[in-house]
């Protein structure tokens, strides 16, 4: 069988390039609407700041934000690593031992039904604001 020349494929390829920009253009449009709304309606800054003010604050506080971003990335990496390690460990043990699977599997399923928005404040109350409750939340999400 003969393959047709791909004029249709070339035409579709051009269309998809334009579609890839749509999310970016939409976000840019939302920011413009936000800026226009705040300026035209004289919305107080403490209620809804202008996007320009937000960008300025991000720039002025960049060193503080970078410090906290690095701490958050460390907590996320530790939590993810622990969840992978525990998942593999429990997966292997549960695969080999029926009794262990019968004991832990329902608990693991139950742990995934509790909304994390409920668990996070409870962990903060129970364990404080240190590293442990944050890592525990990441482990629960990734496990």
């Amino acid at each position: 069988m003969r393959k047709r020349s791909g004029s249709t494929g070339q035409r579709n390829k051009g269309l998809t390039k334009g579609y890839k920009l749509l999310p970016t253009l939409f976000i840019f449009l939302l920011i413009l609407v936000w800026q226009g709304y705040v300026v035209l309606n004289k919305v107080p800054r403490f209620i809804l700041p202008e996007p320009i003010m937000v960008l300025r604050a991000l720039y002025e506080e960049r060193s503080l934000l970078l410090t906290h971003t690095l701490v958050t990335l460390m907590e996320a990496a530790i939590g993810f690593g622990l969840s992978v390690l525990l998942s593999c460990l429990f997966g292997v043990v549960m695969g080999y031992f029926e009794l262990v699977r019968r004991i832990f599997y329902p608990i693991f399923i139950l742990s995934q039904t509790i909304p994390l928005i409920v668990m996070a404040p409870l962990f903060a109350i129970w364990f404080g604001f240190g590293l442990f409750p944050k890592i525990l939340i990441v482990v629960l999400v990734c496990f």
Side-chain angles (χ1 to χ4, degrees):
M1 235 174 156
R2 248 179 162 202
K3 188 176 178 183
R4 277 200 218 167
S5 62
S7 64
T8 310
Q10 292 297 330
R11 187 172 46 216
N12 288 340
K13 193 181 256 187
L15 283 174
T16 57
K17 279 185 181 178
Y19 287 137
K20 288 180 181 178
L21 291 176
L22 283 178
T24 305
L25 292 174
F26 182 71
I27 290 171
F28 184 71
L29 178 69
L30 282 177
I31 291 172
L32 285 176
V33 168
W34 172 13
Q35 178 73 30
Y37 179 80
V38 170
V39 170
L40 292 175
N41 292 314
K42 297 182 177 102
V43 178
R45 291 179 176 170
F46 65 90
I47 293 177
L48 183 64
E50 301 171 21
I52 292 172
M53 289 180 59
V54 173
L55 289 174
R56 186 179 308 131
L58 285 172
Y59 179 75
E60 289 170 357
E61 301 296 331
R62 66 189 179 277
S63 63
L64 179 66
L65 290 171
L66 179 63
T67 302
H68 289 286
T69 300
L70 293 175
V71 170
T72 301
L73 285 173
M74 180 196 65
E75 293 165 348
I78 292 170
F80 181 71
L82 277 173
S83 70
V84 168
L85 183 71
L86 289 172
S87 298
C88 291
L89 179 71
F90 275 106
V92 169
V93 172
M94 287 170 55
Y96 280 112
F97 302 105
E98 176 74 21
L99 179 63
V100 175
R101 180 171 51 249
R102 288 185 180 269
I103 291 171
F104 285 107
Y105 189 69
I107 295 169
F108 293 153
I109 297 299
L110 182 67
S111 74
Q112 297 303 305
T113 63
I114 302 168
L116 289 177
I117 199 163
V118 171
M119 295 306 294
L122 290 176
F123 286 169
I125 292 168
W126 295 338
F127 305 117
F129 291 103
L131 190 65
F132 180 69
K134 297 171 189 174
I135 290 175
L136 193 57
I137 288 290
V138 176
V139 169
L140 283 176
V141 168
C142 298
F143 191 79

